[in-house]
Amino acid sequence: MMVSRVGSPWSRALVECVPNFSEGRRPDVMDAIQTAAAGVDGARVLDRHADATHNRMVLTIAGAPGPVAESAFRATARASELIDMRQHDGVHPRIGATDVVPFVPLGATDMQVCVELAVRVGRRIAAELDVPVFLYGEAARTSRRRRLPDLRRGEYERLASEIGSDAQLTPDFGPLRIGPAGATAVGARRPLIAYNVTLATGDIEVARAIARSIRESSGGLPAVQARGFLTADRNVVQVSMNLLDTRRTPMSTVFERIAREAASRGVSVVASELVGLAPAEAVVDIAREALRFGQLDAEAILETRLLEQALGG
Amino acid sequence: MMVSRVGSPWSRALVECVPNFSEGRRPDVMDAIQTAAAGVDGARVLDRHADATHNRMVLTIAGAPGPVAESAFRATARASELIDMRQHDGVHPRIGATDVVPFVPLGATDMQVCVELAVRVGRRIAAELDVPVFLYGEAARTSRRRRLPDLRRGEYERLASEIGSDAQLTPDFGPLRIGPAGATAVGARRPLIAYNVTLATGDIEVARAIARSIRESSGGLPAVQARGFLTADRNVVQVSMNLLDTRRTPMSTVFERIAREAASRGVSVVASELVGLAPAEAVVDIAREALRFGQLDAEAILETRLLEQALGG
């Protein structure tokens, strides 16, 4: 039997980049940044989300690692020309014209690919744009810089006044001074999943108690944020979650834990709900658990393989 | 909040086409057919699989419906010029130079899109290439033409001698005569899934009995083909299956039924195994069942949405 396959394994890595820019009001500036991002073969700008109150724009770029890195850099460069942080206000915390550049692995791509991209793009932003860069998330070099809220404390204004004097504020790359473009956090992270579980009770205290018992900040499950919510239907309440890393805590584990906690209070689970999208990997994890697949990852999904070939090929 | 999305719903349909050609030995002929298929913007030739014993080549093409239809037609046209069925031999049953052209929905694309494509491409093959076309699968216009083996009975040779005299052989489109390119079956179907379940016993009779009880042909589950197999490990046996339509019988249903049948014989299930790829839809179905998602389809998968935009945008 003679078999030939179009494409090869090394061309398979796929990443997403979701850079956040401190401009959500001026359409011409947002268009210019998006246009800069869109000009790279092999990287696609799949989504643009802007918010005037936050005064912030988020682009979603996907493709092979090299082109996505180039696209993210070009958008960052354009933002540094067009946005002056001294004029910026908005309710969302921020440190720079390009506030944060997260790289996210898609399909079965290894996190290490995204960590390396973050380092490469971070170094280039510092060198070519003269902007201080902080590595965060999986790319962080100290545990104090893993979480964005820690990095953003005091925001642009604090950095502008203290970057030269406070050793904690020394960037991973770039100058010890802040210009109009501010600073940029560049990092790597897993895709976020917004996941809700609906409970067959109108008692909000049940949802709150379960949320408390499962969220990481109260000593619950790793990489899980949770709150209890009322819904439009008075007969049910929801545990509303952000799953920050389903490698550490899979959705099945979250669901089973909630079902057990609810059962211990005499309450049953009505349904699960996904808000927005989930990566193939997280859904495959559920299937692997449910049907006891020995091995099963996102590479087993037809659409993931097609995507790798369509974007990476 | 201002939100703009790149791309729009009508551009979302995604299909795969897996045409089979009666040439698996001459590389120049195979290359010419593949090259014809590859010349259409918006359609990608993702895989080529050839077998000299079968004397047969299979291409996998994916993309937006229009470009995939064009690509499939061009490959069919090239095959009709280069393959003479009077010279063809091989162990696989076949009726023409382009033997079969199946369209398969990807992502959350509706089957109706593929049925319409099959009719359109079938009509065009008949009109422009003067080749008799039989619609099969979901595109079949009579139940006798749903299954390919029924259509292929007697193969090219029977068609060549009887097409004008046997009313059962009247094509859906095209002439009542057969030239060197033979005839072509054009249709629509769900993706096939090759799925095995391993049982904790060395007794092949257990696997065979369970296979008999679940396969459609013995009155079991719809759209399930199943056989019992020994494995390299003498402590376990496998129920080996083709799932022809997981909309009709989801993988979870198959797994639970096998687990129950095995338990009734005092045998436990070791693991599930996927041979090759599964469509996102089938895996999402498992997750929906396991975690009680109220609604969840392939559109909820990040990679599926990216694929739609990458190929359809």
Side-chain angles (χ1 to χ4, degrees):
Chain A
M1 170 131 36
M2 177 179 68
V3 176
S4 76
R5 286 194 169 270
V6 181
S8 62
W10 57 262
S11 68
R12 286 235 173 107
L14 262 196
V15 302
E16 186 186 53
C17 183
V18 205
N20 290 219
F21 306 91
S22 294
E23 178 59 63
R25 294 171 191 164
R26 293 176 296 168
D28 55 325
V29 171
M30 293 189 280
D31 288 350
I33 295 168
Q34 180 175 348
T35 301
V40 181
D41 271 359
R44 288 202 171 229
V45 178
L46 296 173
D47 194 61
R48 165 173 154 180
H49 182 109
D51 184 311
T53 310
H54 287 181
N55 198 6
R56 193 174 178 86
M57 170 176 77
V58 180
L59 295 180
T60 303
I61 307 166
V68 169
E70 178 67 27
S71 168
F73 175 78
R74 289 193 196 176
T76 301
R78 200 79 183 95
S80 75
E81 294 164 7
L82 299 173
I83 298 170
D84 184 341
M85 291 304 292
R86 294 167 301 185
Q87 317 295 327
H88 184 271
D89 64 274
V91 300
H92 195 292
R94 77 288 180 265
I95 60 172
T98 302
D99 184 54
V100 55
V101 182
F103 291 96
V104 180
L106 295 179
T109 302
D110 203 87
M111 176 57 81
Q112 195 52 33
V113 170
C114 288
V115 170
E116 283 167 24
L117 277 189
V119 171
R120 200 165 100 197
V121 171
R123 221 186 274 279
R124 189 171 171 203
I125 289 170
E128 297 188 26
L129 309 178
D130 202 34
V131 163
V133 166
F134 298 89
L135 294 173
Y136 85 99
E138 302 284 327
R141 290 174 169 180
T142 90
S143 60
R144 287 192 317 277
R145 291 192 176 164
R146 281 191 81 88
R147 296 181 59 248
L148 271 182
D150 297 341
L151 261 181
R152 285 201 190 109
R153 196 157 297 136
E155 307 187 42
Y156 164 78
E157 288 74 12
R158 176 181 170 216
L159 274 176
S161 68
E162 300 177 18
I163 193 172
S165 53
D166 183 347
Q168 299 269 17
L169 300 180
T170 302
D172 291 288
F173 307 122
L176 260 179
R177 65 194 135 64
I178 292 283
T184 299
V186 182
R189 62 164 172 79
R190 296 256 151 235
L192 300 183
I193 302 176
Y195 174 52
N196 299 336
V197 173
T198 306
L199 306 175
T201 174
D203 183 357
I204 181 69
E205 288 309 324
V206 172
R208 286 188 181 140
I210 293 176
R212 251 192 319 274
S213 85
I214 64 166
R215 69 183 163 225
E216 180 169 31
S217 65
S218 334
L221 300 165
V224 173
Q225 299 171 336
R227 292 173 60 188
F229 277 100
L230 291 168
T231 71
D233 179 348
R234 295 179 57 184
N235 299 311
V236 301
V237 295
Q238 279 191 327
V239 181
S240 177
M241 290 160 284
N242 283 318
L243 308 183
L244 308 181
D245 186 348
T246 54
R247 285 278 174 87
R248 294 174 64 205
T249 303
M251 295 178 85
S252 301
T253 304
V254 173
F255 178 82
E256 281 156 23
R257 176 74 172 268
I258 291 175
R260 205 164 56 230
E261 294 276 351
S264 77
R265 292 166 173 86
V267 170
S268 63
V269 167
V270 177
S272 285
E273 180 186 49
L274 209 54
V275 183
L277 304 180
E281 194 76 29
V283 177
V284 166
D285 286 346
I286 299 170
R288 193 179 50 241
E289 187 75 14
L291 265 57
R292 290 185 230 164
F293 281 97
Q295 285 191 306
L296 195 71
D297 68 16
E299 290 279 310
I301 305 294
L302 183 59
E303 284 84 349
T304 299
R305 292 288 272 274
L306 297 183
L307 180 67
E308 288 166 353
Q309 304 216 20
L311 292 181
Chain B
M1 170 130 34
M2 177 178 69
V3 176
S4 77
R5 286 194 168 271
V6 180
S8 63
W10 57 261
S11 67
R12 286 234 172 108
L14 262 196
V15 302
E16 186 186 53
C17 182
V18 206
N20 289 219
F21 306 92
S22 294
E23 178 58 63
R25 293 171 192 163
R26 293 176 296 167
D28 53 328
V29 171
M30 294 189 279
D31 288 349
I33 295 169
Q34 180 175 348
T35 300
V40 181
D41 269 359
R44 286 202 172 231
V45 178
L46 296 172
D47 194 60
R48 165 173 155 180
H49 182 109
D51 184 311
T53 310
H54 286 181
N55 198 6
R56 193 174 179 86
M57 170 177 77
V58 180
L59 295 180
T60 302
I61 307 166
V68 169
E70 178 68 27
S71 168
F73 175 78
R74 291 192 194 174
T76 301
R78 200 79 183 97
S80 76
E81 295 163 6
L82 299 174
I83 298 170
D84 184 341
M85 291 304 293
R86 294 167 300 186
Q87 319 294 328
H88 184 272
D89 64 273
V91 300
H92 195 292
R94 76 288 179 267
I95 59 171
T98 301
D99 184 53
V100 55
V101 182
F103 291 95
V104 180
L106 295 179
T109 302
D110 202 88
M111 175 58 81
Q112 195 52 34
V113 169
C114 289
V115 170
E116 283 166 25
L117 277 188
V119 171
R120 200 165 100 197
V121 171
R123 220 187 275 279
R124 189 172 171 202
I125 290 170
E128 297 188 27
L129 310 179
D130 204 33
V131 163
V133 167
F134 298 89
L135 294 173
Y136 84 99
E138 302 283 326
R141 289 173 171 183
T142 90
S143 60
R144 289 191 315 277
R145 291 191 176 165
R146 282 191 80 87
R147 294 181 62 247
L148 270 181
D150 297 339
L151 261 181
R152 285 201 190 107
R153 196 156 297 134
E155 305 187 42
Y156 164 77
E157 289 74 13
R158 175 179 169 218
L159 273 177
S161 68
E162 298 177 19
I163 192 170
S165 54
D166 183 346
Q168 300 269 17
L169 299 181
T170 302
D172 290 288
F173 306 123
L176 262 178
R177 65 193 136 63
I178 292 282
T184 298
V186 182
R189 63 164 172 81
R190 296 255 152 235
L192 299 183
I193 301 175
Y195 174 52
N196 299 336
V197 172
T198 305
L199 305 174
T201 174
D203 183 357
I204 181 67
E205 288 310 324
V206 172
R208 286 187 181 141
I210 293 177
R212 252 191 319 275
S213 84
I214 65 165
R215 68 184 164 226
E216 180 169 31
S217 65
S218 334
L221 300 165
V224 172
Q225 299 172 338
R227 292 174 60 186
F229 277 100
L230 291 168
T231 70
D233 178 348
R234 293 180 58 185
N235 300 312
V236 300
V237 293
Q238 278 191 328
V239 181
S240 177
M241 290 160 285
N242 284 319
L243 308 183
L244 309 181
D245 186 348
T246 54
R247 284 278 174 87
R248 293 175 64 205
T249 303
M251 296 177 83
S252 301
T253 304
V254 174
F255 178 81
E256 282 156 23
R257 175 73 172 268
I258 291 175
R260 207 164 55 230
E261 294 276 351
S264 78
R265 291 167 174 84
V267 170
S268 63
V269 168
V270 177
S272 286
E273 179 186 48
L274 210 54
V275 184
L277 305 180
E281 195 75 29
V283 177
V284 166
D285 286 347
I286 299 170
R288 193 179 51 240
E289 187 75 14
L291 265 57
R292 291 186 230 164
F293 281 97
Q295 285 189 307
L296 195 71
D297 68 17
E299 289 280 309
I301 305 294
L302 183 60
E303 284 84 349
T304 299
R305 292 288 273 275
L306 297 182
L307 180 67
E308 288 166 352
Q309 304 215 21
L311 292 181

